[in-house]
Amino acid sequence: MRTYPTEARRHNVGRPNVPLSDSQLQAFVANGFLTLKSSLPETYHRLIFERFDEVATGIGHFGNNLLPLIPELVEFFDDPVVKGALTSVLGRDYSMHPHRALHKNPPGSDEQQFHKDSYWGYTRRVRNHRPWWVMIMYFPQDTELEKGPTAVMAGSQHLNQRPEGYCNEVPIAGDAGSFVLIHYDIWHRKMKNLTDLNRYMFKFEFARLAPPDARSVTRAWERPASVPTPDLSPAWQATWDWLTGQQPEQARHQAHVEELGADDEAIGINAGYALGCDPANTAPLLEALDSNSSAHENERRYSDNGQIWREDAVVRNAAHGLVRTGDCAVPGLLDVLRAGTARGRKHAAFALGEMGTTTAHPALCDALGDEDVHVRIAAAEALGLATPCTDSRDALVAAMHDDPASEVRFDAALSLVRAAVQGDSALMAEAVDPLANALYDTNRYVSGYAAEALERIGTPDAFDALVPFLRTARWCPHTDNRRPF
């Protein structure tokens, strides 16, 4: 008989979250990852390993149904150590992405090349330096180096350029129950399993739903005791200031616009942030933002191997610099969004979203009708990162229903989840019926986020739309291809 790990549930009930310390959070900001240990008992991890082994060897591929197939995993996410880590980075409101995966590393399997995950099978989305997205990778068995753990390139989360020769490889080896919290964009790979044992890891993704509140932290950014190479201190400090609600200082730094496209990408990233510290550099940064008139490419890429990092290097680094500049850059960004090149419009939308300014709502709503899908993706995300209004809600609802690109519809649905968290039930009441229709979108992630948006709205009308869908969508964890009845 299959038994539920009730001891794990008892362990979690009533225990307060264990937040990251300031030094742990600073290490995460700089290195892009943090290895932690679950507080659940060893018996729980052994049970999860046995369940993984059972489904991986006997049931077959189950894709995103990992959680309903193994509902015992819920207890891992209720572990106060796990919740504390996620809350420290993402805030109290975060969302588990509908995509999740079990990674099996059988004996003798080949190692992977280092790569970044894609968000939608493409590299069309601008990657956030700020940790709006993270992943958790959990190992339910002792995972020694010989067993082929996941390895990350420390400090590579902001690099689009391949990290070999720049960053140090760190294997995530540890005891059963170890997990790693990683910035979504870090370079990583599966290592070779040299043993005769199976190695399992599951990967879940999480998104922040609202900008940070001011934390009780008042101390300024301090470099962690162990810092990665290359040194991206300007980006790390800017992220720390954002996470802790501190106002960045304006200052003059020695940097030149020509450095934005340096052969060493770290030089370009640091130049963008250094230029952004001085409002006097707003005009040259805006010029750099709109300096590439070439058309976007739309090749499907399920992982990013860094081959096209140069195409947007100048534009991308200028965009991050303009976010650092602040409000004085908003008028120029709006001009680029309305009349710039396709790459300029895309990155202007991204920068305005990172700033969270409601002043940009009208232009971003218009950008949801842009002919270039890259611009529409950036605009749909940007509207979710600021306080919602009636116009932004209506524009996102229209994009979720009408845009032919599933990636745009997905970003619009996620932004409506964020609107439900940042807004109120009165504002979101008009979105209930459209979200109910989106439950049946042909794309699984649009459907998933429509369901979460209805849950977050939480009114009787929202639940009246959601519950019948969930009733028919229910997965039976006791049914598989060996036990159909």
Side-chain angles (χ1 to χ4, degrees), residues 34 46 58 70 89 94 104 129 223 235 327 336 342 369 373 417 419 437-439 469 472 476 480:
L34 190 67
R46 188 186 319 125
I70 309 178
V89 176
Y94 58 84
K104 178 182 178 181
H129 285 183
R223 288 160 58 93
D327 291 345
V336 175
V373 67
V417 176
N437 291 330
L439 292 171
F469 168 78
T472 57
C476 176
D480 55 47

Side-chain angles (χ1 to χ4, degrees), residues 15 120 122 334 340 391 410 465:
R15 291 182 181 236
W120 202 258
Y122 294 97
L334 290 172
D391 289 343
F410 159 79

Side-chain angles (χ1 to χ4, degrees), residues 196-214:
D196 58 358
L197 301 171
N198 285 325
R199 187 275 282 170
Y200 297 108
M201 175 271 284
F202 76 60
K203 180 183 74 176
F204 279 64
E205 305 171 10
F206 299 85
R208 171 182 277 275
L209 297 181
D213 296 324

Side-chain angles (χ1 to χ4, degrees), residues 114-117 119 123 125-129 155-164 166-167 185-187 230 232 263-266 268-269 304-317 320 346-347:
F114 275 101
H115 62 280
K116 287 176 179 272
D117 285 4
Y119 285 83
T123 56
R125 187 181 176 280
V126 184
R127 295 181 183 270
N128 312 85
H129 285 183
S156 67
Q157 65 273 18
H158 301 329
L159 295 179
N160 296 273
Q161 188 176 23
R162 290 201 64 85
E164 292 89 345
Y166 291 87
C167 304
D185 298 326
I186 203 165
W187 288 84
L232 297 175
D263 291 339
D264 181 340
E265 190 182 13
I269 293 170
D304 186 350
N305 60 10
Q307 290 184 353
I308 61 171
W309 79 271
R310 279 189 170 280
E311 292 186 8
D312 274 337
V314 171
V315 177
R316 182 173 59 244
N317 292 332
H320 289 297
K346 169 185 178 177
H347 285 81

Side-chain angles (χ1 to χ4, degrees), residues 58-81:
I59 295 176
H61 197 279
F62 40 84
N64 293 332
N65 287 318
L66 176 61
L67 194 55
L69 185 64
I70 309 178
E72 296 92 338
L73 281 172
V74 171
E75 304 306 331
F76 176 82
F77 294 111
D78 283 338
D79 182 337
V81 174

Side-chain angles (χ1 to χ4, degrees), residues 82-373:
V82 178
K83 291 174 68 176
L86 287 169
T87 302
S88 296
V89 176
L90 300 179
R92 64 180 180 273
D93 293 308
Y94 58 84
S95 170
M96 179 188 289
H97 192 292
H99 171 67
R100 56 288 305 256
L102 172 60
H103 288 223
K104 178 182 178 181
N105 191 0
S109 66
D110 290 333
E111 62 186 11
Q112 290 178 317
Q113 294 295 311
F114 275 101
H115 62 280
K116 287 176 179 272
D117 285 4
S118 73
Y119 285 83
W120 202 258
Y122 294 97
T123 56
R124 301 192 293 203
R125 187 181 176 280
V126 184
R127 295 181 183 270
N128 312 85
H129 285 183
R130 294 169 173 175
W132 284 96
W133 288 80
V134 301
M135 293 192 284
I136 279 183
M137 297 178 175
Y138 159 60
F139 298 87
Q141 74 286 299
D142 292 343
T143 306
E144 306 85 0
L145 184 61
E146 294 76 14
K147 203 172 285 183
T150 297
V152 300
M153 283 288 194
S156 67
Q157 65 273 18
H158 301 329
L159 295 179
N160 296 273
Q161 188 176 23
R162 290 201 64 85
E164 292 89 345
Y166 291 87
C167 304
N168 294 322
E169 179 178 5
V170 180
I172 308 301
D175 297 336
S178 298
F179 69 97
V180 59
L181 177 74
I182 65 174
H183 188 294
Y184 185 95
D185 298 326
I186 203 165
W187 288 84
H188 62 281
R189 68 165 180 147
K190 176 189 73 174
M191 301 184 75
K192 189 175 182 64
N193 184 352
L194 301 175
T195 73
D196 58 358
L197 301 171
N198 285 325
R199 187 275 282 170
Y200 297 108
M201 175 271 284
F202 76 60
K203 180 183 74 176
F204 279 64
E205 305 171 10
F206 299 85
R208 171 182 277 275
L209 297 181
D213 296 324
R215 284 165 47 103
S216 59
V217 177
T218 56
R219 83 186 212 206
W221 163 256
E222 295 180 10
R223 288 160 58 93
S226 176
V227 295
T229 53
D231 187 333
L232 297 175
S233 290
W236 303 337
Q237 179 169 350
T239 299
W240 176 258
D241 289 345
W242 178 73
L243 278 172
T244 58
Q246 300 186 54
Q247 291 298 316
E249 296 182 1
Q250 301 293 348
R252 291 184 179 273
H253 293 278
Q254 291 297 319
H256 302 281
V257 174
E258 293 77 13
E259 294 175 326
L260 295 173
D263 291 339
D264 181 340
E265 190 182 13
I267 295 174
I269 293 170
N270 284 335
Y273 279 94
L275 290 164
C277 289
D278 184 355
N281 294 320
T282 302
L285 282 171
L286 286 166
E287 184 177 352
L289 183 78
D290 205 30
S291 62
N292 187 345
S293 60
S294 61
H296 283 123
E297 66 101 46
N298 285 290
E299 180 180 343
R300 191 133 195 161
R301 301 170 187 271
Y302 286 100
S303 63
D304 186 350
N305 60 10
Q307 290 184 353
I308 61 171
W309 79 271
R310 279 189 170 280
E311 292 186 8
D312 274 337
V314 171
V315 177
R316 182 173 59 244
N317 292 332
H320 289 297
L322 288 162
V323 172
R324 179 70 174 81
T325 300
D327 291 345
C328 65
V330 170
L333 286 166
L334 290 172
D335 289 341
V336 175
L337 177 59
R338 293 188 181 105
T341 64
R343 293 176 189 270
R345 299 195 306 276
K346 169 185 178 177
H347 285 81
F350 164 80
L352 290 164
E354 288 285 301
M355 291 175 173
T357 174
T358 56
T359 305
H361 275 349
L364 289 169
C365 290
D366 290 343
L368 286 174
D370 198 283
E371 62 182 6
D372 192 309
V373 67

